[in-house]
Amino acid sequence: MARRGILLLLIVVAILSACSPIKPQKANNDRVPIPLPEDVVSMAVLNRDGGVLREHREGDVLQRLLQGIKNARPSYIGDPEESGEGYELVVRGVKQNRTFAIQDMRKTNGWGVSVKLYASLPGEEIGRAWGLSMEWMQLLLDPSAEKAEPELNVTVDEDSDRVILTANRDIDLQSVRDAVQASLLLRSDAASFAKPDYKMPDLRRIVVLFPDLPEGAEIQLLLNEVKSMNGERFSVHSSQDDGQVTIRQGRAWSGLRWVDTAGRTVHEHGFDATALIQTQPYSEALDREILIYNRNGIVYRFFPESREISDVTVQEWSNLNEGSYSDEGVGAIYSFAEPEEVEFYVAKGLKTVFRVNPSDGTKQSIYESKSPIYGMAASPDGKHIAVLVDSDSDLGPSADLTIVDAQGKVESTFPKAAYIGHSNGWHLIYPIEWTDQDKVAVPLFGTSDFPSARGKALYHYRQGLQSKEEALVLPEKASALLKSELGEEAASQVVRTLPEPHDEHARYYAVSLAGMGSYLIDLDSDEVTRLGTGEPIMWTSDRQIIVWHSTEGKSVSVSSLE
C-alpha cells in the first residue's frame, strides 16, 4: 500500500501542477540530486496497472541505470504537463525502497526532453521533475535492444506536421538533414514553403518540424540513408504503411468522403481504425450496403445512401485467439441477406461458417473449411452461402467456390473458380457477390484472360460456369486526359475504374491509380479532379462518388468486383 500511495502522490502532484494557473516551472539548474536509497539491490519497472515489466539485479545494468539517475538533468513540470507512456520505477535498497513516476515521451512530438522522472523532495509540497535520456529508458525496458541491429523508428504526427525519429543507436543529425534534403518532394499549389527545422533533445531522438505548410500541401520523403554516429545505416521502421514518409497539412483524419461531380466534398464520415471495406453489387432497388472492418475487430454495416450505420460485431469474436487472420487483420467475415429478419452468416477465424440469429444472438456452426476462407456471400434470400477457399492450402492465388445451404449441406463445388494474382503466403479477402438467387460472381484479377487484367467469372450455383467478363476499360480519351494532367505513366497505373451508373453519355469516370489515390475524370469539360488518397468505393443515386481519404496516410483494402 505504501508503494502505491507514493505513486499516487506523485501523479496527483503532476496533475495539480498541470492544472494550476501558474506558468511552467523552470528547470532548476542547481542539480538537486534525486533521492535514492542506499545500497541499491534491484530496480523494477511497472506498468500503470502495477504489473512488473522487468526487474534488474545484474550488476552492470543496475550500475548504469543508477548512474543515469544520478546524472539526470533538472527539468520542469509543464502547464499542462506533456503526456507520454506512464511507468512506475521501484528502487530497492537494503533498508529502504523509493518509488518514482516516469513519463516516457520518446514518441511524442515535444522536443524538450525524452523521459521524465518525478519525485517529491523531503520538506517540499510540489513535486520536481528530472530529464533522462532515451538510452537510459531503452536500458530500463530492454537491455538487449543495444545488441540488436541498428533500427530507426519513424512516427508521423499529422496534427503538428512533425516526424519523430527514435533509434537504438546515437543518430547522426547531419545524415538526417542530408536524407530529407535529397528526397523531399512537395505536392502543393504553392511554389515553396519554410525549410524543415530539426530538434535533437537526445542523441537517439530527433524531431523534424515542417512549419507553416501551405494549405492542402503534401510532403513525401525517404529516410533510408540515415546513419548512426558510427556510420552504420539504420533499418527504417515507419508508422505508415510503406517506407515512404508522407505528411499532409491539416488535422489528422481518415474516413469516407462524398464528392459531387464538380469535385466538391459534400459529406464526410470518419473511420479511423478501418482496415477493409467490402462493397455489395450495384442495384437500383436497394440502398447498397458496405461492410467496414476495423483493426480492433469491430465490424460496421453501413448504408451510404441513408447514412445509417450499425455495429454488427459478434462481440465474443472481435478478438480471436484461434483460426486465421487475413493480411488486412480481419479474423471474421460477415455476410447478410436482403431481408433484415433473415439470419446472417459469419466465417469465424476464416475457417468455420456460423449462422447467427439477429434477434437472440444464437449461433449454429454449419460449415467447416479445410483450407483458409478467402471470401463469403449470402444469397439474397439467405438460403445459400457461397464460400471461396484457398485451392491448394498454401495461400496461393486460386480459390475454390463452394455453395452451402443454410443447414450446412454442400450443394456444389467448383475448383479454382476465382483468381487474384499474388505470391503464395498472402491471405487476402476476395470479393464475391450473388447477382441474383442463382448466380455468383467471383474475381479473375491478374489473369491472361483480359487485357485489363481485371475481370470476373459468373457461376450458376448448380450448373457451374456461365461466363467470363472483363471489367470496364477506361476510354482512350480519359486515358489521354490522365496522361496530360498527371504524367505519361498515369494511365498505366489505373487499377480500378468506376463509371457513373446513371450517366447515359458516359461523361464521368472515377479511377484508382496505384500509389496515387483516386481521381474523377470529366470527359465533357476535359478535367481531372483529385478525389482522395485511397480507392473510390461506390457511386450514390444522387451522383456522388464515395472515396477513402486519409490526411495521415492510412490505407484500406477495398474488396469489390466493380
Side-chain angles (χ1 to χ4, degrees):
M1 289 296 293
R3 177 179 63 77
R4 300 299 294 175
I6 292 171
L7 176 63
L8 181 59
L9 172 63
L10 293 176
I11 293 175
V12 169
V13 167
I15 292 174
L16 289 175
S17 298
C19 296
S20 68
I22 64 174
K23 294 181 179 179
Q25 299 176 15
K26 293 183 179 180
N28 190 337
N29 294 320
D30 58 5
R31 282 194 173 272
V32 177
I34 298 173
L36 290 168
E38 296 181 0
D39 301 321
V40 173
V41 295
S42 71
M43 193 178 296
V45 58
L46 287 66
N47 60 23
R48 293 180 184 272
D49 299 324
V52 178
L53 298 177
R54 184 176 291 273
E55 183 172 13
H56 298 284
R57 294 180 178 272
E58 57 277 26
D60 57 336
V61 174
L62 199 57
Q63 287 304 312
R64 287 177 60 190
L65 290 172
L66 287 170
Q67 191 61 47
I69 294 176
K70 292 174 182 178
N71 295 337
R73 306 183 308 273
S75 188
Y76 60 87
I77 297 175
D79 182 17
E81 176 68 322
E82 295 174 279
S83 177
E85 183 69 25
Y87 297 98
E88 183 178 339
L89 180 69
V90 180
V91 182
R92 294 186 175 89
V94 174
K95 296 181 180 179
Q96 183 188 23
N97 299 337
R98 290 283 303 187
T99 301
F100 306 95
I102 293 177
Q103 282 288 320
D104 180 1
M105 296 181 288
R106 292 176 292 172
K107 293 186 178 181
T108 65
N109 60 34
W111 60 81
V113 66
S114 295
V115 182
K116 281 188 180 181
L117 181 146
Y118 304 92
S120 294
L121 296 180
E124 293 186 355
E125 294 183 359
I126 298 179
R128 289 178 179 256
W130 287 262
L132 293 163
S133 69
M134 248 197 78
E135 182 179 359
W136 183 90
M137 196 67 192
Q138 288 173 339
L139 184 65
L140 178 69
L141 293 176
D142 184 13
S144 66
E146 290 187 337
K147 299 178 182 179
E149 294 297 315
E151 292 186 353
L152 181 74
N153 292 293
V154 181
T155 303
V156 178
D157 188 321
E158 285 283 347
D159 290 341
S160 61
D161 299 331
R162 299 175 186 179
V163 178
I164 302 100
L165 311 180
T166 58
N168 61 346
R169 303 281 196 281
D170 294 351
I171 306 171
D172 179 4
L173 175 59
Q174 188 57 47
S175 74
V176 177
R177 294 178 184 272
D178 293 343
V180 172
Q181 182 177 356
S183 64
L184 185 63
L185 174 65
L186 171 67
R187 299 176 188 268
S188 172
D189 294 333
S192 62
F193 70 103
K195 292 182 179 180
D197 192 10
Y198 301 84
K199 303 293 183 181
M200 195 171 190
D202 197 292
L203 291 174
R204 299 189 177 188
R205 181 169 174 262
I206 296 176
V207 180
V208 186
L209 300 83
F210 295 89
D212 303 320
L213 283 182
E215 184 176 354
E218 178 179 296
I219 287 176
Q220 294 180 343
L221 53 95
L222 293 170
L223 297 168
N224 296 327
E225 296 299 320
V226 175
K227 298 178 181 178
S228 72
M229 293 293 288
N230 294 329
E232 301 169 291
R233 184 174 294 171
F234 287 106
S235 173
V236 180
H237 302 276
S238 174
S239 59
Q240 296 183 334
D241 291 335
D242 51 31
Q244 184 169 262
V245 178
T246 303
I247 302 172
R248 297 171 178 86
Q249 184 272 338
R251 299 287 295 178
W253 183 89
S254 298
L256 296 179
R257 170 187 279 182
W258 283 246
V259 184
D260 65 17
T261 53
R264 297 179 295 244
T265 299
V266 177
H267 178 69
E268 289 182 335
H269 194 303
F271 290 102
D272 187 64
T274 299
L276 171 72
I277 294 175
Q278 279 186 312
T279 69
Q280 299 299 310
Y282 175 76
S283 170
E284 293 280 0
L286 297 174
D287 183 359
R288 293 178 65 193
E289 70 179 63
I290 61 177
L291 292 177
I292 297 174
Y293 295 83
N294 289 343
R295 293 179 178 86
N296 57 7
I298 301 301
V299 182
Y300 295 118
R301 191 182 186 192
F302 188 38
F303 295 89
E305 297 276 0
S306 62
R307 297 174 189 168
E308 295 180 3
I309 186 170
S310 58
D311 184 340
V312 295
T313 316
V314 178
Q315 293 299 328
E316 60 264 40
W317 296 344
S318 61
N319 291 293
L320 295 171
N321 294 318
E322 58 187 45
S324 302
Y325 274 86
S326 75
D327 288 293
E328 300 93 347
V330 174
I333 306 175
Y334 289 65
S335 188
F336 296 82
E338 289 179 9
E340 290 292 330
E341 67 278 2
V342 173
E343 294 171 314
F344 64 94
Y345 298 85
V346 182
K348 175 189 174 186
L350 305 183
K351 275 294 187 72
T352 308
V353 177
F354 285 82
R355 193 176 71 244
V356 182
N357 188 312
S359 59
D360 59 14
T362 56
K363 313 167 194 67
Q364 180 180 351
S365 172
I366 63 169
Y367 178 72
E368 181 79 18
S369 175
K370 295 180 181 179
S371 300
I373 292 175
Y374 282 172
M376 180 181 71
S379 62
D381 58 8
K383 294 181 179 180
H384 292 90
I385 283 287
V387 184
L388 287 177
V389 301
D390 179 21
S391 294
D392 301 312
S393 299
D394 58 359
L395 294 177
S398 296
D400 300 340
L401 172 62
T402 298
I403 308 298
V404 183
D405 69 15
Q407 285 69 47
K409 177 186 175 183
V410 175
E411 296 275 0
S412 52
T413 298
F414 306 105
K416 298 190 176 183
Y419 183 95
I420 293 182
H422 63 79
S423 301
N424 289 1
W426 292 87
H427 193 163
L428 306 180
I429 301 301
Y430 286 20
I432 175 173
E433 300 171 350
W434 289 78
T435 59
D436 56 33
Q437 300 287 12
D438 300 318
K439 299 183 185 66
V440 181
V442 297
L444 293 176
F445 298 169
T447 71
S448 58
D449 294 352
F450 311 112
S452 67
R454 188 178 178 95
K456 60 185 178 182
L458 193 66
Y459 282 81
H460 188 285
Y461 84 98
R462 289 185 183 277
Q463 300 169 8
L465 180 65
Q466 303 290 294
S467 62
K468 293 182 180 180
E469 303 173 8
E470 183 176 15
L472 178 75
V473 178
L474 197 62
E476 185 175 338
K477 181 181 178 181
S479 295
L481 278 173
L482 280 179
K483 291 179 182 179
S484 64
E485 293 291 329
L486 302 176
E488 191 65 27
E489 298 297 321
S492 65
Q493 301 300 313
V494 174
V495 294
R496 190 155 168 250
T497 301
L498 288 181
E500 205 282 299
H502 307 93
D503 184 5
E504 295 180 359
H505 304 288
R507 174 179 178 179
Y508 299 106
Y509 293 85
V511 295
S512 173
L513 275 60
M516 298 176 65
S518 54
Y519 292 82
L520 178 66
I521 303 171
D522 184 343
L523 293 184
D524 282 6
S525 62
D526 294 339
E527 292 181 349
V528 176
T529 304
R530 185 169 172 80
L531 295 171
T533 62
E535 287 198 43
I537 307 301
M538 57 173 278
W539 285 91
T540 66
S541 59
D542 51 359
R543 306 183 78 174
Q544 294 171 9
I545 182 70
I546 302 173
V547 298
W548 173 261
H549 182 67
S550 172
T551 65
E552 49 191 329
K554 291 183 178 179
S555 63
V556 300
S557 297
V558 177
S559 179
S560 175
L561 284 172
E562 288 185 298

